[in-house]
Amino acid sequence: MWNILLVEDQHIVRQGLKMMIEIDDDFQVVAEASNGEEALAQLHKHIIDMVVMDIRMPIMNGLEATRKIKGINAQMKILILTTFNDDEYALQALKDGANGFMLKDAEPAKLIEAIRSCLNGGLTIHDNVAAKVVPRLLQTPNIQVSEIPLSPRELAVTKLVGEGKTNKEIADELYLSIGTVKNHITQVLNKLELRDRTQLAIYAVRHHLA
């Protein structure tokens, strides 16, 4: 059972999302908050595996909350769930460390899939948003693969992270154990001086590895 913190300022919307999420027996909304400040307080009161959070909220919005949460716990999974199909929001959320960006009009099955993917180490972006965000991420000078200080195996893992693959999917594709994949990712993050898996995925896309 995965414990989820649901952060949404509209009570009715929050209750609807809670019901949608808890349709899957693997997920339980153990805490709720109506803004980022309340979310930070809830993280100190409960054991949380993942935060599902809106962007536009009073007192502290989702982007600021994402930065603060990642500053406290870089491994915390965060899925941004918003009504705003805005590539600037999406880019900023990903740069701040969010593990996914979905729109509230997504079908329930897609939302569950996004939550599961983020929890398993994947990077999920709503199709309509990805169509605008990925080209923006690609707007960077080309860097030769030979200039990237990674081993062939580390490059292979980085490529698959950039494709949004989970640790299990990477392990299956490269015939590795999940533990070995995690170790490779940790080594890559240290070598490239990146904060977390989301930054690594963005790095892979920007450097045309994915």
Side-chain angles (χ1 to χ4, degrees):
M1 178 76 72
W2 297 99
N3 292 339
I4 293 176
L5 166 59
L6 182 57
V7 190
E8 160 65 52
D9 62 321
Q10 297 184 52
H11 178 75
I12 294 177
V13 175
R14 193 165 69 242
Q15 294 311 300
L17 289 171
K18 179 179 179 180
M19 292 176 60
M20 193 183 303
I21 292 170
E22 291 187 337
I23 287 175
D24 193 302
D25 293 336
D26 289 338
F27 306 139
Q28 180 180 10
V29 176
V30 297
E32 301 176 31
S34 60
N35 58 65
E37 190 173 275
E38 291 181 7
L40 288 168
Q42 293 286 18
L43 286 172
H44 293 295
K45 297 178 182 177
H46 302 273
I47 297 175
I48 303 295
D49 298 303
M50 181 174 185
V51 181
V52 177
M53 182 160 54
D54 194 7
I55 285 185
R56 288 192 181 179
M57 297 180 292
I59 303 177
M60 183 188 294
N61 64 41
L63 296 178
E64 183 179 355
T66 296
R67 289 192 292 272
K68 288 183 178 295
I69 291 170
K70 285 291 186 174
I72 297 170
N73 181 2
Q75 302 307 312
M76 178 62 67
K77 307 301 183 186
I78 300 176
L79 174 66
I80 295 295
L81 185 62
T82 180
T83 57
F84 300 100
N85 184 357
D86 187 312
D87 53 329
E88 291 296 337
Y89 275 147
L91 280 169
Q92 191 59 54
L94 295 173
K95 289 177 181 177
D96 290 339
N99 303 88
F101 189 98
M102 294 293 291
L103 301 180
K104 289 179 182 175
D105 64 2
E107 297 178 1
K110 286 289 186 181
L111 173 59
I112 294 299
E113 182 182 334
I115 291 173
R116 193 178 300 282
S117 175
C118 289
L119 283 167
N120 288 325
L123 176 65
T124 301
I125 305 176
H126 194 287
D127 291 344
N128 293 344
V129 179
K132 296 186 293 182
V133 170
V134 172
R136 293 277 301 275
L137 291 177
L138 289 172
Q139 292 174 359
T140 186
N142 285 332
I143 293 180
Q144 298 296 321
V145 172
S146 60
E147 299 175 11
I148 298 175
L150 301 178
S151 69
R153 178 65 76 190
E154 290 168 344
L155 280 170
V157 170
T158 299
K159 175 181 182 297
L160 294 174
V161 169
E163 293 175 0
K165 298 292 180 65
T166 67
N167 287 342
K168 184 178 186 308
E169 289 170 335
I170 295 173
D172 290 344
E173 187 159 336
L174 298 180
Y175 303 101
L176 301 171
S177 70
I178 293 177
T180 299
V181 170
K182 290 180 178 179
N183 289 338
H184 279 311
I185 291 174
T186 298
Q187 291 169 0
V188 171
L189 291 176
N190 290 335
K191 283 186 178 181
L192 300 180
E193 297 183 345
L194 299 175
R195 180 185 59 215
D196 53 32
R197 190 189 189 98
T198 302
Q199 287 194 344
L200 178 58
I202 294 174
Y203 179 96
V205 172
R206 281 180 168 168
H207 295 85
H208 310 283
L209 300 178

